[in-house]
Amino acid sequence: MAKRVTGPEIEKLIQLLAKVPGLGPRSARRAALHLIKKKDQLLGPLSLAMGEAYDKVKICSRCGNVDTSDPCTVCTDIRRDHSMLIICEDVSDLWALERAGAMNAAYHVLGGTLSPLDGVGPDDLNIRALVDRVSEGTVKEIIIAVNATVEGQTTAHYITDQLSDFNVKITRLAHGVPVGGELDYLDEGTLTAALRARTAI
Amino acid sequence: MAKRVTGPEIEKLIQLLAKVPGLGPRSARRAALHLIKKKDQLLGPLSLAMGEAYDKVKICSRCGNVDTSDPCTVCTDIRRDHSMLIICEDVSDLWALERAGAMNAAYHVLGGTLSPLDGVGPDDLNIRALVDRVSEGTVKEIIIAVNATVEGQTTAHYITDQLSDFNVKITRLAHGVPVGGELDYLDEGTLTAALRARTAI
C-alpha cells in the first residue's frame, strides 16, 4: 500500500495475521477488519485466548503432545489402553488420528522424521524417550503411523530397529485405496500396494 | 473430536480461530498448532497486537474508516486532495481503492447499503455525516464507488438525490471489462455496458 490508510497498530495486526497458515496478505486484511468489527465477540476473546495459550502451553514430556498440562490429557487419560502406542511424526497427526476415533490408544510424537540432508538425526527426534517408555514394559503393541514418504519409512525402519530387543508387536498403517478415492487418480505405487494387500469380501 | 486430546485453553483457541474468515475448523487447528510452535515469534506478538488493536481501535467520526486515531490517518493526511471525496460501502472497499493507488482523495464510508428488506434505511448508514461534510463547502467532486449491485445502485441514487442542492460534481465508477478479464466469462450486462461506453483507441 503506497500511503497509510490506518494506524500502525492495525497494520501490525494485519502483518502478523498474514503469517498464520491459511491466511495470506489479502485475507489477513479481511480477517483483521472482521475481527475489528466483531471487537467484543471475537477480537477481545481471541486476544485473551492467545495470551492464555502463550502462558500455559507445554510440550508433554512423556509423549510430545501439545497441551496446557504435563503429562498431557492423552497420557493421563485412564480410560485409554496404554498398552497400545501409536507413533506419529507431528502433533497434527496425533490430532488427526484421534479425530478418526478408531483407536483408544496412547501416542508418542516424534517431532519430525529422520532426514540426513536436513541434518535431522535420531537425537533430534523424540526417540530416546520412546525407547525409555517401551522399556517400562507396559506397551504391548506399537503402531508406527508415520507419513508414507521416504523419510517416514526410513524413520519407521530405524524405530523398528531400536525396539527390536523388546517383546512388543510392531505394526504399521495399511497402504491402499483411500476411502472415497477414485482409482483413476491414484498413483501406481498405491494401486500396487492395494492389489497386493487385497482382502476377501 | 470424541475424546479430548489437549487442554481446554487450546480447544478454546481453536474454536475462536475457526471464526476468523478464511479459516475453518480444520485450518483453525492447523493454525493453532503453527502458532504454538512459533510461540515467541508469532503467538505472543499476535496476542499483544490483538490486545492493542482491541484497546485502541476506533471508527473515524468523520469518514467511518477504521483506525487507532480519530480523525483517521486518511482524514488528517494533508497531502491528500480533500476536495475529492470517494464514497464506498465498507472499510474494506476504502482499503482496496487505496491499494489501487489511482486517486489521492479523501473517503467517506457508508457502512453498508440501503436495503429495505433487511431493515437498513438511510439513518442506519453514515449519510447524514456525509451531507454535513459536503455542506462545509470544501468538496468539489464526489465519486460514488459502491458495489455494482441493486442495493449499491439504489444507495447511489439516494445519495445523489440528497446532495442535489450542493454545487458538487457527482460521478460513479465506470462499468466495463475487468483488466485481464476474458470476454467469454463475462455476463451480458457487463458486455453491454462495455460496448456502450467504448472509447477511441
Side-chain angles (χ1 to χ4, degrees), chain A residues 29 35 44 52 57 67 81 84 95 101 108 133 154 156 179 189:
Chain A
R29 196 155 265 130
L35 288 171
E52 198 158 27
V57 79
D67 205 329
D81 179 1
M84 189 175 277
W95 292 8
H108 195 85
R133 214 173 152 182
T154 310
V179 175

Side-chain angles (χ1 to χ4, degrees), chain B residues 37-71:
Chain B
K37 278 181 193 163
K38 303 235 169 199
K39 197 169 166 265
D40 290 310
Q41 303 100 297
L42 197 50
L43 181 59
L46 192 51
S47 162
L48 292 178
M50 283 186 176
E52 199 158 24
Y54 180 82
D55 291 337
K56 294 192 181 171
V57 79
K58 294 176 188 71
I59 306 298
C60 175
S61 57
R62 187 164 171 80
C63 78
N65 187 17
V66 160
D67 205 327
T68 45
S69 58
D70 181 15

Side-chain angles (χ1 to χ4, degrees), chain A:
Chain A
M1 210 179 285
K3 280 167 291 183
R4 285 268 285 283
V5 289
T6 189
E9 296 86 352
I10 297 171
E11 288 289 352
K12 175 92 185 159
L13 174 63
I14 293 169
Q15 273 172 29
L16 287 166
L17 280 172
K19 293 184 187 167
V20 174
L23 298 177
R26 194 169 279 237
S27 44
R29 196 155 265 130
R30 202 161 62 93
L33 272 175
H34 183 84
L35 288 171
I36 287 167
K37 278 182 193 164
K38 303 234 169 199
K39 198 168 165 262
D40 290 311
Q41 303 102 296
L42 197 48
L43 181 60
L46 192 52
S47 163
L48 291 178
M50 283 187 176
E52 198 158 27
Y54 181 82
D55 291 337
K56 293 192 181 170
V57 79
K58 295 177 187 71
I59 305 299
C60 175
S61 57
R62 190 165 168 78
C63 78
N65 187 16
V66 160
D67 205 329
T68 44
S69 58
D70 180 16
C72 74
T73 310
V74 175
C75 285
T76 53
D77 186 349
I78 52 167
R79 292 163 306 170
R80 284 175 191 269
D81 179 1
H82 289 270
S83 74
M84 189 175 277
L85 196 61
I86 302 180
I87 299 179
C88 47
E89 288 180 26
D90 197 275
V91 177
S92 57
D93 300 328
L94 188 167
W95 292 8
L97 288 160
E98 270 302 296
R99 277 202 298 282
M103 293 303 218
N104 190 32
Y107 288 85
H108 195 85
V109 179
L110 295 174
T113 44
L114 293 176
S115 177
L117 284 176
D118 300 318
V120 181
D123 293 339
D124 301 311
L125 303 179
N126 197 12
I127 293 179
R128 199 162 293 173
L130 171 65
V131 176
D132 290 348
R133 214 173 152 182
V134 174
S135 70
E136 289 171 5
T138 320
V139 177
K140 299 297 171 213
E141 180 175 352
I142 286 178
I143 304 175
I144 302 184
V146 292
N147 290 337
T149 55
V150 174
E151 289 83 7
Q153 299 311 304
T154 310
T155 312
H157 279 293
Y158 181 83
I159 289 170
T160 311
D161 201 55
Q162 293 291 305
L163 299 175
S164 59
D165 293 341
F166 301 103
N167 182 29
V168 286
K169 185 178 167 189
I170 303 181
T171 54
R172 64 160 177 78
L173 295 184
H175 289 311
V177 180
V179 175
E182 294 183 41
L183 297 194
D184 197 17
Y185 292 98
L186 285 174
D187 62 294
E188 292 78 7
T190 304
L191 287 173
T192 306
L195 282 168
R196 284 198 187 139
R198 66 194 178 277
T199 52
I201 296 178

Side-chain angles (χ1 to χ4, degrees), chain B residues 157-179:
Chain B
H157 280 294
Y158 182 82
I159 289 170
T160 310
D161 203 53
Q162 292 293 304
L163 300 176
S164 57
D165 292 342
F166 299 101
N167 181 27
V168 284
K169 186 177 167 192
I170 304 182
T171 54
R172 65 157 176 79
L173 294 185
H175 289 311
V177 180
V179 176

